[in-house]
Amino acid sequence: MSFQRGTTARLSLQRLTQRLSMRSKEYYKVEDMHDTRVPLYNEDVFQHGLKFKAKYIGSLEIPRPQRKNDIITAMRRIRYEFKVKGIRKIRCTLDVSTTGVKVSKRKRKRRRKQYSEEQLFIMQHPIYRVFYVSHDSQEMKIFSYITREVPQNIFRCNVFKAYKKSMALHIVRSLGQAFEVCHKLHPKPQKKKEEGEGG
């Protein structure tokens, strides 16, 4: 009996060391794409724009979000409401650039029917109107961006579903980087303390 106990103890110790070594290997395999400190793209890329494929779930007006939890709650509410109403997701393309975010329907390759840009157009927002970008921590494929619309001063949450979890994170980071690049290229003019001395 004591021999069996000793062998099982040794086996469990071996398994534990194997698991720990595997975890440490996984830890060192962190890709640059998941490191938020490393920019995804060169700044020049955003001048021309980046295209991403996703599915558009829907958008609704929401109260001004105060915390990240408010945004996640809004995302989930929009998903639930559109699902209950039976509204299907729209296959779309997100065009992200320093000018803004353009969302348009994606043409199906099998259908030869010609569509105008107006028929494919869903929505467009200037990048400086994007208030917040986030993904759902429980359902990683779901992401959204919130816009502030003027002159009504209302907030609208636009929800999407990516084809992969990694792609949702990629789109969120790209939107964030586009926002930063836009602010570098077009900094807000600083208010002058002195409005010019006599001349």
Side-chain angles (χ1 to χ4, degrees):
M1 289 290 284
S2 60
F3 176 74
Q4 285 180 345
R5 282 179 189 170
T7 51
T8 53
R10 261 187 254 123
L11 282 169
S12 60
L13 186 65
Q14 284 175 346
R15 285 180 187 157
L16 183 66
T17 51
Q18 282 177 345
R19 282 181 185 172
L20 288 170
S21 65
M22 283 174 72
R23 281 181 187 174
S24 63
K25 283 176 187 174
E26 286 171 11
Y27 177 77
Y28 289 112
K29 285 181 182 177
V30 174
E31 295 175 17
D32 283 350
M33 195 191 89
H34 300 294
D35 189 354
T36 53
R37 296 166 297 179
V38 179
L40 287 173
Y41 298 101
N42 187 348
E43 291 180 4
D44 298 336
V45 173
F46 290 98
Q47 297 279 356
H48 306 291
L50 293 163
K51 291 187 187 292
F52 299 103
K53 291 178 181 178
K55 288 181 180 179
Y56 174 59
I57 295 172
S59 60
L60 286 175
E61 192 180 314
I62 61 164
R64 184 190 175 111
Q66 302 295 327
R67 301 180 306 275
K68 191 174 179 178
N69 285 351
D70 297 343
I71 295 157
I72 292 166
T73 305
M75 267 195 273
R76 289 174 185 166
R77 182 172 63 88
I78 291 164
R79 275 185 73 203
Y80 176 76
E81 283 187 26
F82 278 75
K83 201 170 192 174
V84 166
K85 289 174 185 174
I87 300 167
R88 294 181 68 184
K89 299 176 195 79
I90 301 168
R91 290 155 39 101
C92 69
T93 304
L94 279 94
D95 196 348
V96 180
S97 67
T98 50
T99 54
V101 184
K102 185 181 177 183
V103 182
S104 50
K105 292 176 191 172
R106 219 165 64 239
K107 293 183 225 176
R108 293 198 175 179
K109 290 179 182 177
R110 291 178 186 175
R111 292 182 183 174
R112 293 182 181 177
K113 190 178 175 183
Q114 294 294 322
Y115 294 97
S116 66
E117 275 196 42
E118 289 176 8
Q119 288 174 313
L120 296 172
F121 179 82
I122 298 174
M123 61 185 165
Q124 187 169 4
H125 300 104
I127 202 78
Y128 58 86
R129 291 272 174 246
V130 176
F131 182 72
Y132 202 92
V133 185
S134 181
H135 67 275
D136 193 333
S137 53
Q138 285 183 351
E139 184 63 50
M140 295 289 280
K141 287 183 183 179
I142 306 299
F143 68 95
S144 72
Y145 70 89
I146 293 172
T147 52
R148 187 178 194 165
E149 295 182 9
V150 180
Q152 304 95 336
N153 198 27
I154 59 168
F155 293 86
R156 188 169 284 277
C157 184
N158 309 291
V159 186
F160 301 85
K161 185 175 184 177
Y163 288 95
K164 292 180 181 177
K165 293 175 186 178
S166 58
M167 186 50 71
L169 187 67
H170 196 83
I171 296 167
V172 167
R173 286 197 55 206
S174 299
L175 274 162
Q177 195 183 344
F179 190 81
E180 287 172 17
V181 172
C182 180
H183 277 272
K184 278 184 188 176
L185 293 170
H186 312 288
K188 286 183 180 179
Q190 293 178 348
K191 291 179 181 177
K192 294 178 182 178
K193 290 181 181 176
E194 295 174 14
E195 291 184 4
E197 294 168 16

